[in-house]
């Protein structure tokens, strides 16, 4: 009886050679196919991105929307063949501009926002929460377009991302990692 073959592990080098039309994340060497976002997802993402972009105009930090590759655990000495995790957050804020290169972000962004869809809910709430926590993301938002809410996660004293605040559609959400920044959720969840 033959033993099952080892599961194939992919690297960032493989990722760079995949078809450009495919939206794929690579988590611990495993490719995860991503479905196209819905219109509502894009409207919510666009509104949050616009507010962050306007706030950051003329400031050091930069905001990026998907597709934008984030190599969460890549170190300065790593090469593409030994990087096995790359994600595409819906929105990323990066304040350490040394982390940016032509391909995206090397290391953890300061803030990451994921917008839920029925097919990504479990992935965003469990897998990505764990990844962002391990990588040292300072602020993680989970935005629920259907429930019209935003969960803000911040690291506790031990570095674990915990729910800090939950906002509803009429609230003004504070961006903790950007001093003086607030997101008007009525504009995000317009009826």
């Amino acid at each position: 009886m033959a033993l099952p073959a080892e599961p194939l592990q992919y690297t960032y080098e493989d990722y760079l050679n995949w078809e450009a039309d495919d939206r794929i994340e690579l988590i611990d060497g495993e490719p995860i196919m991503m479905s196209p976002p819905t219109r509502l997802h894009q409207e919510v993402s666009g509104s949050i991105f616009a507010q962050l972009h306007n706030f950051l105009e003329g400031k050091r930090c930069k905001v990026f929307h998907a597709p934008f590759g984030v190599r969460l655990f890549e170190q300065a000495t790593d090469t593409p063949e030994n990087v096995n995790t790359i994600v595409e957050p819906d929105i990323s804020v990066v304040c350490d501009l040394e982390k940016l290169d032509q391909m995206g972000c090397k290391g953890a962004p300061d803030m990451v926002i994921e917008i839920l869809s029925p097919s990504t809910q479990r992935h965003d709430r469990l897998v990505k929460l764990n990844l962002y926590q391990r990588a040292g993301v300072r602020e993680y938002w989970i935005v629920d377009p259907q429930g019209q809410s935003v969960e803000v996660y911040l690291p506790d004293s031990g570095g674990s991302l915990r729910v800090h605040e939950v906002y509803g559609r009429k609230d003004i959400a504070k961006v903790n990692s950007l001093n003086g920044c607030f997101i008007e959720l009525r504009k995000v969840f317009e009826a």
Side-chain angles (χ1 to χ4, degrees):
M1 176 174 175
L3 294 173
E6 287 292 316
L8 191 55
Q9 295 290 300
Y10 294 92
T11 67
Y12 183 51
E13 183 176 44
D14 299 313
Y15 175 95
L16 292 172
N17 292 310
W18 289 334
E19 293 295 321
D21 292 342
D22 291 337
R23 288 199 58 217
I24 302 171
E25 292 184 320
L26 189 61
I27 298 176
D28 296 326
E30 180 183 344
I32 308 293
M33 296 291 291
M34 299 169 59
S35 59
T38 64
R39 179 193 55 81
L40 177 60
H41 178 286
Q42 293 301 85
E43 287 176 357
V44 167
S45 177
S47 177
I48 295 171
F49 177 83
Q51 291 184 59
L52 286 168
H53 185 269
N54 289 342
F55 176 81
L56 291 172
E57 190 172 338
K59 296 180 175 68
R60 179 169 172 77
C61 300
K62 304 278 184 199
V63 61
F64 302 92
H65 57 78
F68 177 72
V70 176
R71 294 151 358 245
L72 286 170
F73 306 106
E74 185 174 331
Q75 302 296 312
T77 58
D78 285 336
T79 58
E81 60 270 9
N82 60 13
V83 172
N84 70 355
T85 298
I86 180 167
V87 294
E88 292 185 4
D90 290 312
I91 298 174
S92 303
V93 175
V94 180
C95 295
D96 179 356
L97 302 184
E98 295 294 315
K99 291 182 177 181
L100 298 175
D101 62 19
Q102 291 303 312
M103 300 307 293
C105 181
K106 180 172 48 175
D110 294 82
M111 179 185 189
V112 171
I113 299 173
E114 295 287 1
I115 299 161
L116 297 179
S117 66
S119 65
T120 66
Q121 220 170 122
R122 182 182 183 287
H123 189 68
D124 292 340
R125 289 187 182 281
L126 297 174
V127 175
K128 284 197 167 175
L129 174 66
N130 181 49
L131 283 174
Y132 297 146
Q133 180 175 285
R134 283 179 27 218
V137 169
R138 292 180 28 215
E139 185 166 1
Y140 177 40
W141 284 22
I142 295 179
V143 179
D144 182 353
Q146 298 299 323
Q148 297 190 334
S149 66
V150 174
E151 296 173 15
V152 176
Y153 291 78
L154 298 177
D156 62 17
S157 59
S160 295
L161 287 171
R162 302 282 182 220
V163 175
H164 175 73
E165 188 74 62
V166 178
Y167 295 104
R169 70 180 305 272
K170 295 180 181 178
D171 294 330
I172 296 176
K174 178 182 180 184
V175 179
N176 296 275
S177 55
L178 298 172
N179 192 28
C181 183
F182 298 88
I183 302 297
E184 294 180 65
L185 296 180
R186 66 175 177 75
K187 292 181 178 178
V188 172
F189 301 122
E190 289 182 302

